[in-house]
Amino acid sequence: MSKIIIGRYIPGDSIIYKMDPRGKLLVAILFIFIIFLANNWLTYGIIALFAILAVAATKLKAKIFWDGVKPLIWLIFFTSVLQLFFTTGGTIYWKWWIFTLSSFGIANAIFICIRFTLIILISTVMTVTTMPLEIADAMEWILKPLKLIRVPVDKIALVMSIALRFVPTLFDQTLKIMNAQRSRGADFNDGGLIKRSKAIAPLLVPLFISSLETAVDLSTAMEARGYRGSKGRSHYRVLRWSKVDLVNLFYLVSLTALLIIFRTH
Amino acid sequence: MSENIISLNHVSFTYSESKVPAVQDVSFNVKKGEWFTILGHNGSGKSTITRLINGLLWSDENDADSIIVDGDPLNEQNLWKIRDKVGIVFQNPDNQFVGATVADDVAFGLENRGVPREQMLSIVDKAIQEVGMSDYKTAEPSNLSGGQKQRVAIAGILAVKPKILILDEATSMLDPRGHDEIISLVKKMKDKNDLTVISITHDINEIMLADHVLILNDGKAIAQGTPKDVFKNEKLIDSIGLEEPFIFKLIKKLIKAGIEIPENVDSQEKLVEILCQLNSKM
């Protein structure tokens, strides 16, 4: 399970680490929209260059980003193949039944492949350089306007930060329960689909119960420490915009501008 | 000594899912600045009592004067005032850590009380320093040992400056070293901040720190007094399945062996002194 790179923070010390998580989150989200502005070779080249710049700016090993792309490689491959054989137009090289291989198809397949990879790369840059807690803070900030329509943003923020705080604890607990069941003969890695899903029961049931117990204990402890809802609470952790975030803004603005200039209609 | 900081008058409590009361007609007074220990085997109602003191649970009678904390009767109006005065360290160090980092957790109580951020920064730093966790200020709970987590819990409570510190089996899930660390930290903090400590424990040796002991059995208070007084009644202690502290056992064995030990010996230091004196006389 440790292979999954999405949502994992890797400590480092480059310019991207110093950026405000709110800015990073916004840029990562906007990047996904901006990428659809690209529609020719030049614009795809520009956006790829910008993404590679962002990756390079993290000063992390390339392998980390490869690990990020790897679990989704089949999805990328599958989508590209579909594009390749089902797009018509341009010069048609080959045709059989419903499959066609055309120049448009080839271009589209490559574009889709680039698009996917870049989105994954940019999200990886974001999650790898930002602590989960900072991401939660950033999300709270982004959700704040929803207060106007009475969405309990403070409570959602508390829920998010508690959820994040318990991810490693639950993970440890899962491993412990797995080992305890293994020592009594449970087998989690063998057999067919049905046998394996049956083996999950002795893992899930205790995990559910212990999570509920933890929740009860935690709520008692929170109440004992004076928690009475989000009203009147102050905040220890605050986010501050710094000069570094201008770099982030410049990145986004110049990328958008370049894409709009060079895009064909 | 000084006035009572906590008094319970004939308090009973029954959990909604059971018919037998978990706490039955319990009365006791805790004096200001005292180390008060509640002792009893599993399920004797010890933890329930701590939850009654700060209103996490409400007693069956719910009378105006059944529970009085620092002069205020426990009721709806005083609830938060009383919770400000009472800090509880719970048993499981994992399940009471709210913040994602040490500093966040220590700040949690202050956040709830709406303390401005500028003040929080220095209070949090000081509290973390007092429990000796300065090096771990930004550490996440999953990277801390059980003893360290309990120290953070104590820091979080000290930050809001309570008058009463309750240890609800706070050391029972720790290894011996973690246990000793926490107990000596609490002793230090008690003297420094003029705290009243109520400790709930299974650990028979921990009661040697106590000024006053209350023994619970099946929800009833069956004995109270100084540790020495309480453990004089051998039959009673035996009948509820408790064991005497090592020091008392040793004294009894010594007396049996014909060595004269004075009545007032109730601590390891005193016993060592007496034995050394006897040795030099021989």
Side-chain angles (χ1 to χ4, degrees):
Chain A
M1 252 186 255
S2 57
K3 280 271 168 66
I4 295 171
I5 199 84
I6 299 166
R8 215 174 71 186
Y9 170 74
I10 295 165
D13 185 36
S14 57
I15 182 166
I16 293 199
Y17 281 93
K18 296 190 185 90
M19 285 176 187
D20 193 289
R22 292 172 290 183
K24 278 192 273 186
L25 186 63
L26 276 181
V27 168
I29 293 169
L30 288 175
F31 186 87
I32 295 171
F33 290 104
I34 291 169
I35 208 165
F36 290 102
L37 286 175
N39 59 358
N40 57 23
W41 290 104
L42 184 60
T43 41
Y44 269 105
I46 291 168
I47 205 159
L49 183 77
F50 267 77
I52 289 163
L53 259 171
V55 168
T58 61
K59 290 187 184 166
L60 291 169
K61 276 185 224 139
K63 196 185 167 293
I64 292 168
F65 296 95
W66 169 237
D67 283 345
V69 176
K70 216 165 34 180
L72 294 167
I73 206 137
W74 286 110
L75 185 67
I76 298 173
F77 187 67
F78 181 69
T79 327
S80 300
V81 166
L82 283 186
Q83 287 289 333
L84 190 61
F85 288 116
F86 289 98
T87 316
T88 48
T91 339
I92 292 166
Y93 301 113
W94 176 78
K95 194 169 162 78
W96 176 72
W97 193 36
I98 52 168
F99 302 105
T100 32
L101 189 65
S102 64
S103 59
F104 276 24
I106 293 171
N108 256 350
I110 294 170
F111 286 162
I112 286 281
C113 184
I114 294 174
R115 202 181 280 170
F116 255 114
T117 317
L118 294 187
I119 290 175
I120 297 166
L121 278 184
I122 289 294
S123 349
T124 312
V125 167
M126 148 92 197
T127 52
V128 155
T129 61
T130 319
M131 279 193 286
L133 193 66
E134 290 178 323
I135 298 180
D137 287 344
M139 275 158 93
E140 184 192 359
W141 179 79
I142 288 174
L143 291 177
K144 245 177 198 160
L146 293 180
K147 262 188 184 168
L148 289 175
I149 53 164
R150 295 200 183 161
V151 177
V153 174
D154 302 307
K155 280 180 187 155
I156 295 174
L158 188 74
V159 167
M160 277 197 293
S161 77
I162 287 175
L164 287 172
R165 172 248 171 281
F166 273 95
V167 167
T169 312
L170 284 179
F171 191 71
D172 285 351
Q173 225 155 26
T174 313
L175 282 183
K176 256 186 220 163
I177 297 172
M178 270 177 113
N179 285 338
Q181 302 289 20
R182 273 199 192 112
S183 75
R184 290 161 179 78
D187 190 356
F188 294 105
N189 302 326
D190 263 346
L193 196 65
I194 295 168
K195 199 184 161 215
R196 274 202 202 191
S197 39
K198 270 186 186 161
I200 299 278
L203 174 66
L204 276 190
V205 173
L207 197 62
F208 261 115
I209 293 172
S210 89
S211 315
L212 290 177
E213 274 173 5
T214 304
V216 171
D217 278 1
L218 187 72
S219 64
T220 313
M222 282 170 66
E223 212 185 324
R225 290 177 66 182
Y227 182 75
R228 39 177 151 173
S230 46
K231 243 188 199 153
R233 285 194 87 219
S234 50
H235 289 275
Y236 178 72
R237 242 167 333 104
V238 288
L239 298 170
R240 287 221 171 82
W241 297 104
S242 66
K243 277 180 192 155
V244 190
D245 294 304
L246 289 176
V247 180
N248 208 351
L249 188 70
F250 179 72
Y251 168 88
L252 188 74
V253 170
S254 51
L255 178 61
T256 320
L258 283 173
L259 287 181
I260 291 173
I261 292 167
F262 291 108
R263 124 190 200 97
T264 47
H265 298 284
Chain B
M1 247 165 85
S2 46
E3 78 269 36
N4 296 334
I5 195 156
I6 294 178
S7 37
L8 270 73
N9 298 311
H10 306 286
V11 172
S12 298
F13 177 79
T14 317
Y15 284 99
S16 53
E17 61 267 25
S18 83
K19 280 177 189 144
V20 195
V23 171
Q24 209 177 333
D25 198 27
V26 170
S27 303
F28 63 85
N29 294 315
V30 181
K31 291 198 174 68
K32 209 175 172 191
E34 200 173 41
W35 186 301
F36 190 95
T37 294
I38 303 178
L39 207 63
H41 57 77
N42 280 337
S44 57
K46 306 186 298 285
S47 295
T48 308
I49 285 187
T50 57
R51 283 159 175 74
L52 287 168
I53 290 173
N54 77 345
L56 289 169
L57 299 172
W58 295 94
S59 65
D60 290 348
E61 302 88 0
N62 212 348
D63 284 344
D65 55 351
S66 53
I67 297 171
I68 296 170
V69 179
D70 200 27
D72 294 313
L74 179 67
N75 55 30
E76 298 271 355
Q77 292 98 52
N78 287 336
L79 179 64
W80 296 103
K81 199 172 154 197
I82 285 175
R83 281 194 189 159
D84 280 352
K85 286 177 188 166
V86 184
I88 307 185
V89 182
F90 292 94
Q91 178 176 21
N92 189 331
D94 252 322
N95 297 359
Q96 56 180 314
F97 208 109
V98 189
T101 65
V102 168
D104 282 309
D105 190 68
V106 173
F108 181 73
L110 298 166
E111 288 179 332
N112 290 335
R113 286 161 180 81
V115 177
R117 184 168 184 271
E118 295 71 44
Q119 289 176 33
M120 252 196 267
L121 293 174
S122 63
I123 298 174
V124 167
D125 281 348
K126 216 178 132 226
I128 294 176
Q129 197 197 337
E130 273 190 287
V131 298
M133 292 289 290
S134 298
D135 297 343
Y136 297 91
K137 199 181 154 194
T138 55
E140 291 172 33
S142 51
N143 299 329
L144 299 177
S145 73
Q148 288 173 326
K149 278 179 223 168
Q150 291 299 63
R151 277 197 265 165
V152 174
I154 292 173
I157 286 163
L158 292 177
V160 298
K161 297 202 168 52
K163 290 187 169 178
I164 301 152
L165 177 65
I166 299 180
L167 304 173
D168 185 0
E169 297 190 38
T171 55
S172 66
M173 290 178 86
L174 304 182
D175 55 54
R177 207 178 124 199
H179 172 269
D180 295 346
E181 271 176 19
I182 294 298
I183 290 303
S184 63
L185 175 69
V186 171
K187 258 197 287 190
K188 208 175 87 192
M189 290 301 137
K190 178 180 179 291
D191 297 338
K192 202 172 159 194
N193 302 327
D194 194 26
L195 287 168
T196 306
V197 175
I198 300 181
S199 93
I200 297 200
T201 183
H202 286 290
D203 190 88
I204 218 83
N205 293 314
E206 205 177 300
I207 72 144
M208 297 314 298
L209 290 164
D211 301 307
H212 198 93
V213 183
L214 172 78
I215 296 188
L216 284 181
N217 189 34
D218 294 336
K220 283 175 237 155
I222 53 164
Q224 51 179 314
T226 61
K228 197 168 162 57
D229 288 342
V230 168
F231 284 99
K232 250 181 206 163
N233 194 341
E234 236 172 294
K235 265 189 199 141
L236 178 83
I237 299 299
D238 261 356
S239 70
I240 58 166
L242 283 176
E243 221 183 305
E244 258 187 298
F246 173 73
I247 183 88
F248 292 141
K249 274 201 239 172
L250 182 64
I251 290 172
K252 270 180 195 151
K253 284 254 163 87
L254 287 171
I255 291 173
K256 237 186 210 166
I259 298 167
E260 275 176 47
I261 310 280
E263 269 283 295
N264 62 352
V265 177
D266 59 357
S267 71
Q268 197 175 323
E269 292 80 37
K270 279 187 197 164
L271 185 66
V272 169
E273 201 180 305
I274 294 290
L275 289 178
C276 288
Q277 278 173 15
L278 287 173
N279 191 31
S280 60
K281 274 185 207 159
M282 278 200 295

